Amino acid sequence: MKVCLYAVRCPSEWEVKVSLDFDIDLAWWTQDGRVNVSWRGVGRSGIGQQYTRLKGGWENGTELAGRAPGAGEAKFILLLAAELPLGLAVGLRDGFMHHARMDEWGAREWNEYLQEELARRFKGELARDKFFLESLGPARLIWTREKGMTREGRAIQREMGERISPWGEPQAEQVGRPTAEQGAHFDRGGLDRCGLKLRVIAGSASRLVDALAGRSLLAAELQQLLAERLPELAPAWRSAAQYAHLQGRVQLTAGVAPAAARHSRAPLRGRARPPRCRRCGSEAFRCTPCGSCGLSSCAYCEACLALGRSRSCALLLRGSACAVPSPPSPMGGGDGTAGPPTGSLLDRWGLSPAQRAAAGEALRFLAEPQEAGGRGGMRVPLPRNAAPHGGGLPAGKAAAHARIPRFLLWAVTGAGKTEMIFPLIQYALDRGGTVLVATPRRDVVLELAPRIAKAFPDEPAAVLYGGSVQRWERARLYLATTHQLLRFQEAFDLVIIDELDAFPYHNDPMLAFAAEASCKPGGRFIYLSATPPLSLQREIRQGRLAHAKVPARFHGYPLPVPRRVAMSSVAEAVRRQRLPGSLLQPLNESILRGAQIFMFVSRIRHIDPFVAMLRRRFSALSIEGTSSQDEQRSDKVLNFRSGEIRILVTTTILERGVTVPKSDVYILDADSELFDEASLVQMAGRAGRSKDDPAGIVVFASPEWTRSQHGAVKQIKAMNKIALKKGFLRQADSKAGQPR
């Protein structure tokens, strides 16, 4: 995409702007009542600025941004480039700094400045595109306060108007085609035409702002949204987006752009910084020739490529939910009309004592007023080499986001985490908030959706994942995969991240970055995990992270403690084609008691030969193997759940999300470097989940006893001890989970 780049002399300083429709900007800066109150605000972030009523009241049902006449006006408007690749234009805009000597510059000085800045900031991108520097003409004076439109300005305006205009499109009448009387002004051209276009497009801009509220979308995604939900806005979306941007209600940037540089008073100095993805914060490593902008080296981001190509010339539109006046945040520190949470919020959900205690702690956390830099303030790691806040958030907003309070629900496997978040969701919804429940995997989203729908029948939820038909729906309750958060910006009052330690969310700064950006300043984060990362456990020990532990399962029985079985490696057993005797003893016990058996191995290549050995030994049983490479994996998991398969040999793909009522767990090669403490705890958690069979067998089988195995056993025993101490376990069965 190519855009217009221009400079405007405001009462206090020069500012450089990017425009999708120069007519809109001309009317905005030159006509009374169209100039924003906050000059500096419009020049910087473009998001969340105040806007006031036009002196005449309301037009087309839209409150136009404006100032009181005489409060300050633009003095000069200079066109720097009629068509410039978006990434270059955004870099120049974001890195621009006013200097007093600019008032003395003529066309030659402005053109020299533009070429020097392009060469400095985009040295790599323009290495093979010198013609861009050579083809830039001198800056042209378009308009002055004293004389109005210049002759050259009118000629340029006519030329640009023919190239970018919503009026000739087939559906233009749906956005407000001018009347015959109004059309006369268009025929004459000049500022009358610009002003009329501004008034006609005002209503469309307001509707576009509503559609973009809380979203962060590439232009292609915005066009998909409009095609599905607001087709009448599609012909003039560029004009509407530009007007909303000037109002401070939509931010326009490039998908990939240089990180915001530290400003100095010398505009021609400073180091060039590598480009970053403004959507996910990652460094953009790849460059390719681009037919859209004409550059032979247009940078794009590989990290978030699955959600559409974010590149230097791709327009990214952000419509913050906080960009317009709104009620106080419903999370801690709201208007107080709903009162603090009480036990009645917990009564309807049928929670166990352990669940109720933890949910009560989380409710108190939600009700606490937020303090700057208080305990649990979020400090999210950025993608590799990413600039702070991705180069896309203003400093004030970045600071607000850095202090988003967090709370961890540390609940053992099978504790019923989903039921515990129901009162938290209800609390936020009752206060007018918007809630997101995010989980790393699509299958968990699909599993949670009917449970959420049943719990909140009067609050339709938008379910979002790759290919979801609800991707553009508006709701107050969202259920989504964590990748979908890249399409949101300051949208949610409460963000609940389930299985934060699971792939792909775990150790992916890009997704943590997206989660942070999706939460409103003043919002809250709730993390759910049975095996929280060591970094969060460290924060808990240091008193920097609010949390609640749920040490017992809903049925009140202790967690099965793993047994240690010494046996040769799976590779050795496969080589000898013989099952170790030390493994057969507990395996026979599990078979005799009628349990279904999870048998975890560390390598996919071991599954088929081990299944063959088991079938020879236990020919009467149905035995299968599966992995991430198995096309029939879903069918086999369903058959295992239904009881048709007795033994399932698998990898860690089934360490989460699969519940079998009467099951035992065998982890072979438990000393493998692929099995850390968290994965061992998760795999062990497949046993004993049913109240009818709470004391399943868990076996760690390996040649060596490792720190990970010791840590997993220690963690399970510690949770049982806490549960017993707090009275969450059935006393007669308090030792049922001990290894036999």
Side-chain angles (χ1 to χ4, degrees), residues 249-269:
R249 302 166 77 186
V250 170
Q251 183 185 15
L252 304 180
T253 187
V256 171
R262 294 192 180 117
H263 295 302
S264 67
R265 298 310 298 174
L268 302 182
R269 296 179 182 177

Side-chain angles (χ1 to χ4, degrees), residues 331 358-367 376 378 404-410 417-418 420-425 427-428 435-439 493-500 505 515 519 523-529 536 545-548:
M331 299 299 99
E361 287 291 325
L363 281 174
R364 284 187 284 276
F365 162 79
L366 294 184
M378 171 171 283
I404 296 175
R406 302 166 300 154
F407 187 93
L408 172 64
L409 274 174
W410 187 347
K417 295 190 296 292
T418 302
M420 283 183 276
I421 68 173
F422 289 162
L424 312 183
I425 294 172
Y427 177 81
V435 181
L436 167 73
V437 180
T439 186
D493 298 280
L494 175 60
V495 176
I496 300 173
I497 305 290
D498 188 18
E499 295 189 356
L500 76 116
Y505 188 84
C519 189
R524 294 289 193 273
F525 262 79
I526 300 288
Y527 292 148
L528 308 178
S529 180
L536 293 188
L545 179 61
H547 73 287

Side-chain angles (χ1 to χ4, degrees), residues 464-518:
L464 310 179
Y465 52 86
S468 170
V469 296
Q470 295 181 289
R471 58 181 175 167
W472 306 127
E473 287 192 11
R474 283 248 165 244
R476 292 204 304 150
L477 177 57
Y478 290 80
L479 182 59
T481 57
T482 48
H483 276 89
Q484 295 299 315
L485 303 191
L486 289 165
R487 293 193 170 110
F488 289 94
Q489 176 80 13
E490 295 182 358
F492 306 109
D493 298 280
L494 175 60
V495 176
I496 300 173
I497 305 290
D498 188 18
E499 295 189 356
L500 76 116
D501 57 306
F503 175 85
Y505 188 84
H506 182 49
N507 284 336
D508 190 337
M510 178 188 78
L511 295 179
F513 179 88
E516 175 195 10
S518 73

Side-chain angles (χ1 to χ4, degrees), residues 513-711:
F513 179 88
E516 175 195 10
S518 73
C519 189
K520 294 180 183 178
R524 294 289 193 273
F525 262 79
I526 300 288
Y527 292 148
L528 308 178
S529 180
T531 51
L534 294 178
S535 59
L536 293 188
Q537 296 185 38
R538 190 179 308 115
E539 288 188 51
I540 289 174
R541 291 193 297 270
Q542 295 170 349
R544 297 192 292 116
L545 179 61
H547 73 287
K549 288 184 178 179
V550 187
R553 288 174 167 168
F554 71 96
H555 51 54
Y557 291 91
L559 302 170
V561 177
R563 309 179 189 180
R564 179 186 179 187
V565 170
M567 65 166 276
S568 59
S569 67
V570 173
E572 180 66 16
V574 169
R575 187 182 68 82
R576 294 183 176 184
Q577 285 295 297
R578 187 169 67 246
L579 293 171
S582 57
L583 176 65
L584 288 174
Q585 182 179 352
L587 194 55
N588 283 320
E589 181 182 346
S590 294
I591 292 171
L592 287 174
R593 80 181 199 90
Q596 291 177 259
I597 298 169
F598 288 89
M599 190 163 287
F600 292 98
V601 297
S602 61
R603 311 287 177 180
I604 294 176
R605 66 175 181 269
H606 292 155
I607 293 177
D608 288 342
F610 210 82
V611 167
M613 289 193 295
L614 289 170
R615 285 173 174 169
R616 288 198 298 269
R617 178 72 183 193
F618 305 103
S619 57
L621 302 181
S622 174
I623 304 171
E624 294 289 347
T626 190
S627 69
S628 59
Q629 299 178 2
D630 185 4
E631 296 180 357
Q632 298 179 335
R633 179 182 61 180
S634 297
D635 293 336
K636 290 178 181 178
V637 171
L638 289 175
N639 291 337
F640 187 56
R641 279 176 162 164
S642 67
E644 295 179 32
I645 297 175
R646 283 290 302 278
I647 302 177
L648 186 62
V649 183
T650 184
T651 58
T652 53
I653 60 165
L654 296 186
E655 73 174 26
R656 302 167 187 264
V658 179
T659 298
V660 176
K662 188 175 185 179
S663 60
D664 292 344
V665 173
Y666 289 76
I667 304 171
L668 310 185
D669 286 346
D671 58 343
S672 170
E673 71 279 1
L674 298 179
F675 295 154
D676 60 11
E677 180 181 324
S679 64
L680 290 172
V681 171
Q682 288 286 351
M683 288 184 284
R686 299 310 97 201
R689 299 171 73 92
S690 169
K691 61 180 174 51
D692 298 323
D693 186 54
I697 296 172
V698 179
V699 171
F700 287 174
S702 63
E704 298 180 3
W705 186 249
T706 61
R707 177 179 296 181
S708 294
Q709 294 176 76
H710 176 75

